[in-house]
Amino acid sequence: MSGLDPIALQVATGALRAACEEMGAVLIRSAHSANIKERHDCSTALFDAHGEMVMQAEHIPVHLGAMPASVAAVLGEDHAGGASWVLNDPYRGGTHLPDITVVTPILGEGAELLGFSASRAHHADVGGRVPGSMPFDSRTLEEEGVVIAPRVLDDDAIGALASQMRQPAERRADLRAQLAANQLGVRRVVELAERLGIDGLRSAFAAVLDYAERRTRACIADLPDGTYTATDVLEAIDGDLELRVTATVAGDELTLDFTGSAAQDPGNLNCPVAVTRSACLFAVRVLTDADIPPSAGAHRPVTVITEPGTLLDAGAPAAVAAGNVETSSRVADLVLQAFGRACGQGTMNNLTLGNDDFSYYETLGGGQGACPDAPGPSAVHVAMSNTLNTPIEALELEFPVRVVEYSIRRDSGGTGEHDGGDGIVRELEALTEMHYSLITERRRHAPPGAAGGGSGKPGANILNDDELPAKAGGTLAPGDRLRIETPGGGAHGGA
């Protein structure tokens, strides 16, 4: 236990949290792509010299819980020169290929390593078979884009990587925005070290981690000891894939065991184990106190068990485009279901559009599950996604599409003592020929309620008048209309 007094601990926590939020503001304001500057599909965090995440901004859950694996991938490198590192390889610290992570060492006097500043951003394109780099039917990583093993990120590397991607000028700008965000984090930690001294900084890092651990253990200890189980399915192209979890609460520790889940998918619903762990940690955060500092200390009481070679612990070169976005959402659902929570929409409703001239990616909100004491919110990003929407004005100004409808999907939430939230309707008209790809879930299976509450309505994908499956892709001709109706959330309690 650290010797920091409670007031100093709160000051240190606030300073680190503010630095992470400021890093995020720099990244968002510096980026060129709509996915980052409008939707805020990016995340920032600070780490200590051992690679433990000391603090994160309240950005994208699926990014942040998995980001420690990215720092671990470069931890053993020589950081004396202060060079930044870049990677996206899902089997060497990444998640899926569009999520590019930049890690910058923080050096003090005499090039002493103080920690790391890191940012992750979903790039609108990273090459591969289709614009947007999110093919609905990929079976290998090569189809999904450029695989970046950990390497130094300098001007030559930025040029070389961007040249393999569509809209290279935008890719270069977004990578430089990540570097700028990281440098802001470096500067803030160095300033903190100058105020506290290096030993004081290390004590502050340790105190924040230990405090988060103590708070999390106290919340877990309040849960009744015992074993909780849940099962659910993912809607793969060739049929349903079952996932299962056994959650065991023993004192102040929680074990989440996914033994018995489906084998590795020949498609792209596979999760690197870091993504599975990330989804578990998000669910634990929901089950505990939201005021606990979002740091790796909160992860210490949680053990996640997976089987290598399964959907939730996939091995190279399995495709992973949907694993990061859709499978992670189902993992979070599973854990929350095990503890009696109603499910939200359980999908990010991933849409990519593009041709040789542009690449566009967005996720769509939907209904959140109801709580035991309140209805679920409508038209929000649920669980592992925490992005904004792309405003209609920005979408129509920058891309060759017209928004025909953007509305709340009334009465799509489950009914009960507390109703689930409603989904949304997003209908787009193509103004030029373009490719589209849809990676969605909860089209065949409705989001379940809890404690007798009704399920939310499943979602629907419609091209002109024809309903599409959960995973679909093809070409839109000028005048074609693509309509996405997102799922509602489950209700809690009988009506």
Side-chain angles (χ1 to χ4, degrees):
M1 182 164 172
S2 89
L4 239 60
D5 66 74
I7 293 176
L9 173 60
Q10 290 302 316
V11 170
T13 300
L16 293 168
R17 191 190 297 264
C20 291
E21 296 290 348
E22 192 178 2
M23 289 168 63
V26 168
L27 175 49
I28 289 163
R29 289 171 182 249
S30 303
H32 284 204
S33 66
N35 193 50
I36 302 173
K37 70 182 180 182
E38 300 288 358
R39 293 187 56 251
H40 300 186
D41 196 347
C42 58
S43 300
T44 53
L46 292 170
F47 294 75
D48 68 13
H50 304 291
E52 280 205 275
M53 188 171 69
V54 178
M55 189 61 62
Q56 66 184 53
E58 299 286 6
H59 288 153
I60 314 301
V62 74
H63 287 179
L64 292 160
M67 207 185 291
S70 297
V71 176
V74 302
L75 192 60
E77 302 290 345
D78 180 7
H79 299 293
S84 294
W85 296 80
V86 64
L87 61 95
N88 74 348
D89 187 339
Y91 302 104
R92 296 185 65 183
T95 52
H96 66 174
L97 299 185
D99 283 347
I100 298 180
T101 306
V102 177
V103 181
T104 302
I106 304 171
L107 304 179
E109 290 185 11
E112 185 172 1
L113 183 64
L114 304 180
F116 298 90
S117 176
S119 60
R120 174 170 287 167
H122 184 118
H123 288 246
D125 188 277
V126 290
R129 180 161 55 83
V130 300
S133 310
M134 290 282 285
F136 77 97
D137 58 350
S138 54
R139 289 178 172 261
T140 66
L141 276 183
E142 288 184 354
E143 296 178 74
E144 297 178 350
V146 178
V147 180
I148 308 169
R151 62 176 293 180
V152 170
L153 184 63
D154 53 21
D155 287 343
D156 289 342
I158 290 174
L161 293 173
S163 68
Q164 302 174 68
M165 304 172 185
R166 297 172 183 88
Q167 295 82 51
E170 189 174 83
R171 305 288 79 74
R172 289 194 295 270
D174 287 352
L175 284 169
R176 290 196 171 103
Q178 288 185 254
L179 282 171
N182 285 16
Q183 287 301 326
L184 187 282
V186 169
R187 187 158 67 249
R188 292 293 178 259
V189 172
V190 168
E191 290 169 353
L192 201 56
E194 290 171 349
R195 286 167 50 195
L196 303 177
I198 290 178
D199 288 342
L201 177 72
R202 288 176 176 152
S203 293
F205 282 172
V208 171
L209 290 164
D210 291 345
Y211 176 62
E213 179 182 2
R214 292 196 303 276
R215 292 281 305 276
T216 303
R217 287 189 182 279
C219 289
I220 293 173
D222 285 341
L223 298 173
D225 280 6
T227 298
Y228 307 80
T229 62
T231 60
D232 210 331
V233 297
L234 284 162
E235 300 170 349
I237 293 174
D238 299 324
D240 294 341
L241 301 172
E242 186 176 79
L243 301 182
R244 56 180 62 241
V245 68
T246 300
T248 303
V249 178
D252 61 0
E253 297 197 349
L254 172 63
T255 300
L256 300 171
D257 186 349
F258 293 91
T259 300
S261 293
Q264 190 164 301
D265 179 28
N268 61 18
L269 282 162
N270 302 293
C271 266
V273 69
V275 173
T276 299
R277 180 172 173 79
S278 181
C280 292
L281 298 173
F282 164 78
V284 171
R285 186 160 177 79
V286 172
L287 294 168
T288 55
D289 192 334
D291 188 51
I292 296 172
S295 77
H299 307 169
R300 292 172 180 169
V302 182
T303 300
V304 177
I305 299 172
T306 58
E307 296 177 288
T310 61
L311 197 69
L312 302 183
D313 192 349
V320 295
N324 185 59
V325 287
E326 298 302 282
T327 309
S328 68
S329 298
R330 189 64 68 257
V331 170
D333 278 353
L334 268 180
V335 176
L336 294 173
Q337 272 184 275
F339 286 94
R341 299 298 182 94
C343 286
Q345 67 165 343
T347 175
M348 296 191 196
N349 303 294
N350 302 269
L351 169 65
T352 53
L353 301 170
N355 54 32
D356 290 340
D357 299 320
F358 80 98
S359 297
Y360 174 69
Y361 170 75
E362 71 173 349
T363 59
L364 300 176
Q368 177 62 285
C371 295
D373 57 354
S378 297
V380 294
H381 285 267
V382 171
M384 301 309 292
S385 173
N386 189 33
T387 66
L388 302 180
N389 69 340
T390 304
I392 292 173
E393 298 83 355
L395 181 57
E396 293 187 338
L397 180 66
E398 191 166 345
F399 303 101
V401 297
R402 179 180 293 117
V403 179
V404 178
E405 181 179 349
Y406 189 38
S407 63
I408 294 178
R409 189 186 177 203
R410 301 293 181 185
D411 300 319
S412 56
T415 57
E417 181 181 0
H418 299 290
D419 292 346
D422 289 334
I424 67 169
V425 175
R426 179 88 136 171
E427 184 170 340
L428 305 176
E429 179 182 344
L431 302 182
T432 188
E433 185 175 294
M434 65 185 69
H435 182 274
Y436 78 92
S437 180
L438 282 167
I439 299 177
T440 64
E441 281 285 325
R442 298 294 196 199
R443 269 46 180 178
R444 300 196 294 263
H445 302 274
S455 298
K457 286 185 179 178
N461 306 326
I462 302 164
L463 175 56
N464 298 324
D465 294 322
D466 298 324
E467 188 160 352
L468 301 171
K471 316 295 189 292
T475 300
L476 299 179
D480 280 349
R481 292 186 174 186
L482 184 61
R483 181 181 179 89
I484 303 170
E485 300 178 356
T486 69
H492 192 282

